[in-house]
Amino acid sequence: MRRLNRKKTLNLMKELDAFPKVPESYVETSASGGTVSLIAFTTIAFLTIMEFMVYRDTWMKYEYEVDKDFTSKLRINIDITVAMRCQYVGADVLDLAETMVASADGLIYEPVVFELTPQQKELQRMLQLIQSRLQEEHSLQDVIFKSAFKSASTALPPREDNSLQSPDACRIHGHLYVNKVAGNFHITVGKAIPHPRGHAHLAALVSHESYNFSHRIDHLSFGELIPGIINPLDGTEKIASDHNQMFQYFITVVPTKLHTYKISAETHQFSVTERERVINHAAGSHGVSGIFMKYDISSLMVTVTEEHMPFWQFLVRLCGIIGGIFSTTGILHGVGRFVAEIIFCRFRLGSYRSTSVPLPDGHTSNHLPLMTENSTH
């Protein structure tokens, strides 16, 4: 009874076999089939290697949502060199929400030489080249996000020439904490002084001939300081053509959460629009000479996540490649063989029709010869 049940089970499994076996005596090989098989195996190997490279790679996924965090402070990281002595310039932030000057105690004023050394110029040229490529190829930003360099690439190396030249510029660097509202960070003549109706700078003791707002932005970022991230203004250098000149940067800051396999941080991306003009009250160009960075906080938050292809998806794509190539090459080989047989059959049929048969009276016949009994043997 058990043997009978086993036989029934085996017979049922044989009927469900979707891969019927063909006896080897029924299989015929050909040179064309071998050639097509070799091409198919080569294509499968090449596409498998390419698919494995895609599987190893990662990509950045961008998600957008409303930023609901309005109570935390925004950190501004600054490293700017102005071509004026430190006692002549002052930097502060005007918070437009509270109409008051934010504390600028986190900034350091360091006397330096404005002209760069050859090593520093080389790094600045490389940084400017990266900035120009970023404007053309936005996908490079994903590469920068995934790199997570261990050191800040935008920081200039210290001077090594031991120059005896006296400092003619002021490097303003450090960080500030401000409210997450629109504001105005500016560097202008004179130190900031408290004022009950706003704020003011003590500029009366500085002569106009000393004004020179040529500047270099080595680093400017918002939020947590992430080494290796290149921001839009890093490496920017502006040379003033007049003593009374205003440089304006209109910045839109977007809160960003960055999650990669190497780093997880909360930072801020930003876009910037630049404008510069000479202050000439007689010509109607009013304002104050200096460097003004007016920033606004976006209400949207971007979450950037590094993703990887799942292993099961890699297997599905790999099976699709192998099965698709086998099926496609089999169809193409069958169609090609069918066309070749039609062409060769017509050629052979035409050769039989053109055969001449001599007749006893000296004439020839172009008709096909009749099959005789001797010709069948």
Side-chain angles (χ1 to χ4, degrees), residues 50-309:
M50 296 298 295
E51 188 66 25
F52 181 72
M53 294 176 63
V54 173
Y55 170 72
R56 290 184 56 191
D57 196 12
T58 59
W59 61 88
M60 308 305 293
K61 179 182 179 181
Y62 292 81
E63 297 178 338
Y64 303 89
E65 59 181 317
V66 177
D67 185 16
K68 300 179 181 179
D69 183 13
F70 301 105
T71 59
S72 63
K73 295 291 185 177
L74 175 64
R75 172 170 169 161
I76 306 178
N77 307 295
I78 302 165
D79 190 351
I80 301 176
T81 302
V82 185
M84 291 181 65
R85 296 185 182 276
C86 291
Q87 61 266 27
Y88 295 158
V89 295
D92 60 334
V93 179
L94 178 62
D95 192 334
L96 298 183
E98 299 181 0
T99 62
M100 61 178 295
V101 179
S103 175
D105 296 336
L107 297 180
I108 301 174
Y109 294 79
E110 179 184 352
V112 295
V113 178
F114 187 76
E115 185 179 359
L116 298 177
T117 63
Q119 182 183 5
Q120 292 175 331
K121 288 181 179 179
E122 184 65 26
L123 178 61
Q124 187 187 36
R125 281 195 296 265
M126 182 188 67
L127 191 58
Q128 292 174 349
L129 178 61
I130 295 175
Q131 293 285 15
S132 62
R133 293 294 300 273
L134 280 172
Q135 294 178 1
E136 299 174 359
E137 303 178 17
H138 299 284
S139 59
L140 287 180
Q141 187 64 50
D142 294 348
V143 179
I144 295 175
F145 280 153
K146 291 188 291 185
S147 298
F149 300 135
K150 295 182 179 179
S151 61
S153 61
T154 59
L156 291 177
R159 301 183 68 91
E160 298 179 355
D161 55 356
N162 297 324
S163 176
L164 299 177
Q165 182 181 356
S166 61
D168 58 352
C170 183
R171 179 191 175 197
I172 304 174
H173 59 98
H175 61 272
L176 301 171
Y177 287 95
V178 298
N179 295 322
K180 292 185 66 174
V181 292
N184 180 8
F185 170 77
H186 51 272
I187 302 174
T188 186
V189 179
K191 302 298 182 181
I193 56 176
H195 195 275
R197 296 184 179 180
H199 87 294
H201 288 261
L202 189 60
L205 302 179
V206 183
S207 63
H208 285 75
E209 288 74 16
S210 302
Y211 289 12
N212 184 4
F213 285 100
S214 299
H215 61 280
R216 182 176 58 252
I217 304 175
D218 295 324
H219 181 80
L220 179 68
S221 64
F222 297 83
E224 183 179 348
L225 184 60
I226 303 178
I229 299 299
I230 299 178
N231 298 278
L233 286 177
D234 294 350
T236 301
E237 183 175 277
K238 299 290 184 180
I239 303 299
S241 59
D242 192 271
H243 292 292
N244 296 327
Q245 191 158 351
M246 173 189 288
F247 296 91
Q248 292 177 307
Y249 299 92
F250 300 93
I251 300 173
T252 301
V253 183
V254 181
T256 304
K257 291 183 178 181
L258 182 62
H259 301 286
T260 67
Y261 290 107
K262 294 183 179 181
I263 191 172
S264 180
E266 293 186 5
T267 181
H268 291 72
Q269 302 179 85
F270 65 91
S271 61
V272 60
T273 303
E274 305 176 11
R275 184 188 177 190
E276 58 182 85
R277 59 188 176 91
V278 176
I279 302 300
N280 188 350
H281 299 286
S285 178
H286 304 290
V288 179
S289 302
I291 305 168
F292 297 85
M293 299 182 178
K294 299 180 180 180
Y295 60 89
D296 193 8
I297 311 298
S298 174
S299 59
L300 291 179
M301 181 176 62
V302 181
T303 302
V304 185
T305 308
E306 185 178 6
E307 292 192 345
H308 186 271
M309 181 187 297

